[in-house]
Amino acid sequence: MDVFDAVADPVRRRIVLLLGDGPRTAGALAAAFPEISRPAVSRHLRVLREAGLITAELVGRERHYRADHGPLREIDAWLDAVRRQVWEQRLDALETEVHRARRDRRARPPAGEAPADTRSTG
């Protein structure tokens, strides 16, 4: 599973956030999610391990989970590309408006002068 799929689930995103505060055991993580079963939390932990977002260390009979933010660089790179694209579109639109305003300003007669009369008198 890739990083994007792994963080698509809100429970897994919350697990990564919880582990950002420091290592926790599987039991401590499961306690943070009383609304879901321990086996479900274990499945979420497995998905996060497979995606490389967390590591597990066996300490005695317990597994201690730690966050590994390295794989999040892939998401950062994607977000940077999206932000860059959005800004490029906005800057292109701004450039268009600036050119339009300059064109309109040049076409307008200076203040105090009457527009040239193109009608013939006669």
Side-chain angles (χ1 to χ4, degrees), residues 43-120:
R43 285 190 294 273
H44 286 299
L45 291 170
R46 186 185 74 238
V47 168
L48 291 169
R49 272 194 331 267
E50 289 173 358
L53 287 164
I54 65 172
T55 60
E57 177 186 359
L58 196 57
V59 178
R61 293 181 11 228
E62 295 182 319
R63 286 188 186 269
H64 289 246
Y65 292 90
R66 286 179 166 63
D68 181 354
H69 296 117
L72 292 175
R73 287 187 198 105
E74 182 180 352
I75 294 174
D76 283 338
W78 180 79
L79 287 171
D80 286 343
V82 169
R83 286 185 198 109
R84 216 176 9 261
Q85 183 181 27
V86 167
W87 276 107
E88 286 173 5
Q89 290 171 350
R90 289 177 180 173
L91 291 172
D92 287 346
L94 177 62
E95 182 180 26
T96 300
E97 288 303 314
V98 167
H99 286 295
R100 184 177 296 136
R102 285 180 182 160
R103 182 192 66 216
D104 291 350
R105 196 176 316 124
R106 279 189 234 120
R108 213 174 321 131
E113 286 186 26
D117 191 4
T118 56
R119 293 179 288 160
S120 61

Side-chain angles (χ1 to χ4, degrees), residues 3 5-25 27-37 41 44-45 47-48 53-54 65-69 72:
V3 176
D5 290 331
V7 297
D9 186 279
V11 172
R12 292 193 289 265
R13 288 193 303 267
R14 188 165 163 220
I15 290 171
V16 171
L17 285 173
L18 289 170
L19 292 174
D21 292 337
R24 294 186 187 214
T25 63
L29 289 167
F33 298 94
E35 68 279 7
I36 61 176
S37 68
V41 171
H44 286 299
L45 291 170
V47 168
L48 291 169
L53 287 164
I54 65 172
Y65 292 90
R66 286 179 166 63
D68 181 354
H69 296 117
L72 292 175

